[in-house]
Amino acid sequence: MASALIRGARSNALFKLALASSALTCISTPVFAQDAAAPATTAVDPNEIIVSARRRSETLQETPVAITAVSAAMLENKASANIGDLQGAAPGLLITQQNSGAQAANISIRGLTYADIEKSQTPTVGVVVDGVTIGTSTGQLQDAFDIAQIEVLRGPQGTLFGANTIGGVINITRSKPTMEPGGKAEFTYGRWNTWAGKAIVNYGDGETWGVKGWYFHNETDGFYRNVIRGDRAGGSKGDSYGASLLFEPAGSGFDAQLSVENVEQQFEPVVSNLTNSTEAFCALIPANECNRNNTTDLYTTFTLPAKSTYKAPNATLQMNYDLGDIKLSSITGWRHSKEKQTQDFDGSSSDLYYVDRRQRYTQWSQELRAAGNLFTGFDYVVGGYYFHSKYSLTQWTRFFGFDPTIPPMEFDNNAQTNIGKTTSYAFFGDFNWAFADKWRLSFGGRWSHDNKKLTNSFATQGLIGTGDANFTKFTPKVGLDWRPNGDVMLYASWSRGYRSGGFSPRAATAETASTPFQPETVDAYEVGAKLAMFDRKLELNVAGYVSDYKDMQQNLTVPGGPLGNQTITGNVAGGAIIKGIEADATLRITPQFRITASTAYMKSHFRNFVTCGAYAAGTPAVNGCGTGLVPFDYSANRLIYAPKFTGSINADYEIPTSFGKIVATAGWRHISPYDEQISQGSLTPTVNGAGEVTEVTVNGNDARVRTTTQDLVDASLTFNFDIGDKEAYFRVFGRNLANEKTTTHAFTVAGLFSFGMALEPRTYGATVGVKF
């Protein structure tokens, strides 16, 4: 997010200058997942999907929550490089890449999102990999490699998936060691000189132990073209490798799995220039680099060379012990990352705003669970959770340097540094009580405690301020479901989501650095139905919801700091209301021909979104905002990453052949326009009798941060060959075949400049692989 760029006092100089210058849902795919606490059993019906959304192994149609299960086959057929290709695969789900940080994602579920890379704050949507929550948006854009199943849970999931999941959870389960000799290898080549090589090898004794090793490499020249350099831009190269050991002593009821992995990435962070003639930087850059559109022009760039390197080792230990009446589980997780990134954020060939960011981040987590049946018809999951993280960030900024040969570390002698720590612990319980025939009550809650610490300092000014605060919250949930027969389930639920408070990483005074922003909450009300018809050939799931978003956290501009103004995080008490209805369906026309579809309609609006902002130099203090600032009313603006309508339809057709089978897939995903930043389109000032501006009404977000309507068409054709006990396959694929062009992230910066990042254009390629 661009707000990550302008830190502390740096923003003030720029701000003053501005004032002076004026798919498819794979709900039907027969895949199986295993819960960390309870290994899944094979469903009697081969079309049923086993999920672990509630830390229990149960069929998808029996789970009284809004959930979509996505199989490995869906990702493989699209030759997906990361989970970003899930966008549109579940109702109300958006996943876009944020290249201001490595493996960083902007994820939105039901209009709840956190589009920032700062590690002092936590995402609104949790990404959980083999039971371990990733604590920041950096690292959330997971590789689509060696995945057994992905479950997308919509709505707050605080009871079982951590305290900071007000929007939902993307629960990723990777494949377990098979305990048998075997493996898989494949090679993919596609447009933009994109290629990837994957290999997985399994070995074991077939009963008590197994080991799995893997290696994944992918690289591309990038789909942008830099006309200053005359070559491709946005290239990347990544490697992921590791091993997993599974130990299951026969007859003991105990199993343990240790997984160790390392991720290494190098990429060129690219932004496209969206600056127009109303902004200050337009007078400082070549005329052809100004006033560009936010569709086809995005793919031509002018930026100076930049580079990001990222290393992220991690380890997970899962242990389960089945005592018969009770099952104990332990999940220990460790993740570390080291980032070094330079980036030319002004998007032009002029050297105006260039940064160098160095970061380190480490997190530890430990979860303990017990699950079982207290008595017939009453089951439970209870446990405790501990999380600790620490990070450091130092940023050097070269602004108005006009000399790209000078490194930012030499240009900037007053770099800003943040050092932060988070310590959290929680106790939770989730219970099901079949209190009457065909009726079940689900209830539970989580008690969470978070401690946040943050220190802000500048190299020459020294310590600016420190913050240390505690936040405690109990988040309950309750639900009721009725199953009149095996083909119908109706349910209703209420749950509360909670996202911790913290401190502003861009604070520039002792007062703002030591004053915390407060937690935000979401009260989510949901009703739904899960139906199976025509001998289960048609399955239809429908859900309606209302989310009451309170004390929403937003970046605000306030007086203070060495140069007058600073950007901090504060709370908007009015919050927002989000309402919607969702549906997904599966139609099995024949055992070989299946159609899946999804749709979501969402309506959202802010309530009393008023904050202080700068309108004109020298404006007198009004309503406590301070000199030069007046109340700005953003209530008419749209929520970001909240499209009004999304829909998808997909067809899978399998053709048996003498050599194996052919599988054809084709899908269409529709996403209506949505905004990517709370910004200022046009302004309407309110003036009192003395000629003073008392309030400014913001008439919506800037049009440049709004996407176009997206109709994304994907297709693949896979030829599977049976060769004895081995299988070979050849696949041709295409993504975004209609060649839609729009932004995935766009930002305007304080009347100075604007930039965007582009959707991957039409892409195609081929994959060859073997399984043995």
Side-chain angles (χ1 to χ4, degrees):
M1 187 173 179
S3 54
L5 320 179
I6 303 179
R7 308 184 57 84
R10 298 294 176 268
S11 63
N12 305 320
L14 295 174
F15 195 33
K16 282 193 169 184
L17 174 67
L19 295 175
S21 307
S22 302
L24 134 103
T25 55
C26 288
I27 207 77
S28 63
T29 309
V31 290
F32 302 89
Q34 287 186 308
D35 173 45
T41 56
T42 302
V44 175
D45 184 344
N47 290 314
E48 288 185 331
I49 305 171
I50 304 300
V51 296
S52 57
R54 300 194 305 151
R55 303 299 197 190
R56 303 163 174 87
S57 293
E58 53 192 351
T59 68
L60 186 142
Q61 294 302 107
E62 293 176 339
T63 307
V65 296
I67 175 176
T68 299
V70 180
S71 72
M74 175 266 193
L75 297 172
E76 290 176 352
N77 287 338
K78 296 177 67 175
S80 301
N82 55 58
I83 64 170
D85 283 314
L86 287 175
Q87 175 153 288
L93 171 67
L94 297 180
I95 305 177
T96 59
Q97 185 170 6
Q98 163 62 278
N99 74 8
S100 297
Q103 264 196 337
N106 296 330
I107 305 179
S108 173
I109 295 180
R110 292 181 172 176
L112 296 175
T113 189
Y114 170 68
D116 206 325
I117 59 170
E118 298 296 356
K119 294 177 174 56
S120 59
Q121 295 160 303
T122 49
T124 57
V125 175
V127 173
V128 179
V129 182
D130 286 337
V132 177
T133 298
I134 298 174
T136 73
S137 60
T138 301
Q140 283 194 324
L141 198 70
Q142 288 283 297
D143 291 332
F145 169 65
D146 190 28
I147 289 177
Q149 180 164 294
I150 298 177
E151 300 166 12
V152 180
L153 291 76
R154 306 189 292 279
Q157 306 294 328
T159 304
L160 293 173
F161 284 97
N164 299 305
T165 53
I166 65 173
V169 165
I170 298 176
N171 187 30
I172 300 173
T173 304
R174 300 199 180 274
S175 68
K176 288 183 175 293
T178 63
M179 296 189 176
E180 301 283 353
K184 173 184 177 180
E186 69 175 40
F187 178 82
T188 298
Y189 186 81
R191 197 179 184 192
W192 323 117
N193 194 30
T194 300
W195 67 274
K198 308 177 183 180
I200 303 173
V201 177
N202 277 281
Y203 190 76
D205 68 354
E207 184 177 2
T208 61
W209 68 272
V211 63
K212 178 186 72 172
W214 68 88
Y215 178 78
F216 173 38
H217 174 88
N218 68 93
E219 65 177 80
T220 180
D221 290 347
F223 54 76
Y224 297 91
R225 183 165 184 82
N226 188 301
V227 295
I228 304 300
R229 303 197 310 253
D231 60 8
R232 287 284 168 204
S236 65
K237 180 171 66 175
D239 294 278
S240 173
Y241 50 89
S244 183
L245 174 65
L246 178 62
F247 180 53
E248 294 182 348
S252 68
F254 174 80
D255 67 84
Q257 182 178 353
L258 173 64
S259 300
V260 180
E261 180 186 27
N262 188 33
V263 177
E264 298 183 5
Q265 286 189 344
Q266 295 182 13
F267 66 94
E268 180 188 15
V270 173
V271 300
S272 305
N273 201 330
L274 294 178
T275 302
N276 66 24
S277 54
T278 68
E279 295 169 305
F281 279 22
C282 203
L284 304 173
I285 64 179
N288 67 312
E289 298 177 18
C290 251
N291 299 307
R292 301 178 65 79
N293 67 45
N294 62 348
T295 53
T296 55
D297 286 347
L298 293 170
Y299 301 85
T300 300
T301 64
F302 310 92
T303 52
L304 301 172
K307 183 178 181 181
S308 176
T309 60
Y310 173 70
K311 295 183 179 180
N314 63 84
T316 302
L317 174 62
Q318 303 180 64
M319 296 185 290
N320 304 293
Y321 191 21
D322 190 347
L323 299 174
D325 294 334
I326 185 173
K327 191 165 294 184
L328 304 177
S329 299
S330 169
I331 302 178
T332 306
W334 172 81
R335 300 184 66 89
H336 175 76
S337 65
K338 182 180 179 180
E339 299 170 69
K340 176 184 176 182
Q341 180 161 326
T342 57
Q343 193 158 8
D344 183 7
F345 275 107
D346 60 76
S348 73
S349 58
S350 301
D351 182 29
L352 302 177
Y353 196 91
Y354 194 95
V355 302
D356 186 331
R357 291 165 59 90
R358 310 287 176 96
Q359 300 184 76
R360 289 178 180 267
Y361 172 83
T362 304
Q363 71 169 64
W364 280 94
S365 63
Q366 175 64 56
E367 184 168 344
L368 298 173
R369 294 198 306 267
N373 295 302
L374 192 61
F375 52 81
T376 301
F378 190 102
D379 65 80
Y380 65 89
V381 177
V382 297
Y385 179 76
Y386 172 82
F387 178 90
H388 177 77
S389 70
K390 59 182 180 180
Y391 86 97
S392 64
L393 162 66
T394 300
Q395 176 171 309
W396 294 266
T397 304
R398 186 179 69 226
F399 58 95
F400 307 117
F402 299 104
D403 187 355
T405 64
I406 303 176
M409 294 179 69
E410 294 181 12
F411 184 94
D412 186 2
N413 65 356
N414 194 29
Q416 185 171 5
T417 296
N418 295 151
I419 298 175
K421 291 184 180 181
T422 296
T423 302
S424 304
Y425 51 87
F427 302 96
F428 58 86
D430 191 83
F431 309 93
N432 287 329
W433 179 26
F435 64 93
D437 184 34
K438 302 177 182 178
W439 290 87
R440 180 173 57 175
L441 177 68
S442 301
F443 60 97
R446 173 179 291 245
W447 181 87
S448 302
H449 177 82
D450 300 288
N451 174 258
K452 293 288 187 77
K453 295 182 173 71
L454 187 65
T455 298
N456 289 343
S457 62
F458 289 94
T460 59
Q461 296 171 248
L463 179 66
I464 295 297
T466 62
D468 186 341
N470 295 294
F471 308 95
T472 301
K473 191 73 173 179
F474 177 70
T475 51
K477 64 165 286 187
V478 62
L480 184 68
D481 63 79
W482 177 53
R483 289 175 284 182
N485 55 60
D487 294 333
V488 176
M489 181 177 70
L490 307 178
Y491 69 91
S493 67
W494 167 76
S495 59
R496 174 168 292 166
Y498 152 78
R499 184 165 171 244
S500 173
F503 294 90
S504 302
R506 308 173 191 104
T509 65
E511 180 183 4
T512 55
S514 59
T515 302
F517 55 88
Q518 297 303 308
E520 59 182 12
T521 61
V522 172
D523 283 302
Y525 306 85
E526 181 174 326
V527 294
K530 298 192 174 185
L531 311 172
M533 295 168 276
F534 309 115
D535 196 24
R536 305 190 75 85
K537 287 184 173 60
L538 174 63
E539 292 180 350
L540 174 64
N541 301 325
V542 181
Y545 65 90
V546 176
S547 297
D548 186 358
Y549 196 178
K550 300 174 182 175
D551 296 319
M552 178 178 53
Q553 297 167 8
Q554 289 287 328
N555 290 330
L556 312 171
T557 300
V558 298
L563 298 178
N565 296 297
Q566 58 187 317
T567 300
I568 66 170
T569 303
N571 296 89
V572 179
I577 286 286
I578 307 171
K579 304 176 183 179
I581 185 168
E582 306 164 337
D584 50 50
T586 299
L587 175 62
R588 301 179 183 91
I589 298 175
T590 71
Q592 292 78 35
F593 185 27
R594 181 180 62 243
I595 296 176
T596 58
S598 73
T599 186
Y601 176 81
M602 178 167 56
K603 188 175 182 180
S604 59
H605 67 272
F606 290 113
R607 294 177 304 191
N608 194 31
F609 185 174
V610 179
T611 185
C612 296
Y615 181 69
T619 300
V622 177
N623 295 335
C625 280
T627 301
L629 302 178
V630 296
F632 272 64
D633 188 346
Y634 289 87
S635 300
N637 288 43
R638 300 184 185 185
L639 273 71
I640 62 174
Y641 293 93
K644 183 171 290 187
F645 177 77
T646 61
S648 70
I649 186 168
N650 192 85
D652 298 270
Y653 188 50
E654 183 177 305
I655 307 168
T657 66
S658 59
F659 55 79
K661 62 182 178 182
I662 299 174
V663 180
T665 69
W668 165 76
R669 294 173 288 154
H670 175 86
I671 304 171
S672 65
Y674 60 88
D675 291 358
E676 299 159 308
Q677 181 206 9
I678 301 298
S679 56
Q680 299 174 1
S682 63
L683 304 177
T684 302
T686 299
V687 182
N688 64 17
E692 299 171 329
V693 176
T694 58
E695 185 179 70
V696 175
T697 299
V698 182
N699 303 305
N701 296 318
D702 192 304
R704 290 171 293 173
V705 304
R706 184 169 304 127
T707 69
T708 62
T709 298
Q710 299 175 56
D711 288 293
L712 307 175
V713 179
D714 310 306
S716 70
L717 190 64
T718 305
F719 300 84
N720 296 275
F721 303 89
D722 295 326
I723 308 173
D725 60 349
K726 301 176 179 62
E727 178 185 338
Y729 53 94
F730 174 73
R731 177 183 301 116
V732 291
F733 63 88
R735 295 194 300 266
N736 189 13
L737 293 175
N739 204 28
E740 295 281 4
K741 295 184 176 181
T742 188
T743 55
T744 60
H745 181 64
F747 213 87
T748 64
V749 184
L752 298 174
F753 63 98
S754 299
F755 64 89
M757 300 164 193
L759 176 72
E760 180 187 54
R762 181 187 295 119
T763 302
Y764 42 80
T767 298
V768 60
V770 61
K771 298 178 183 178
F772 55 91

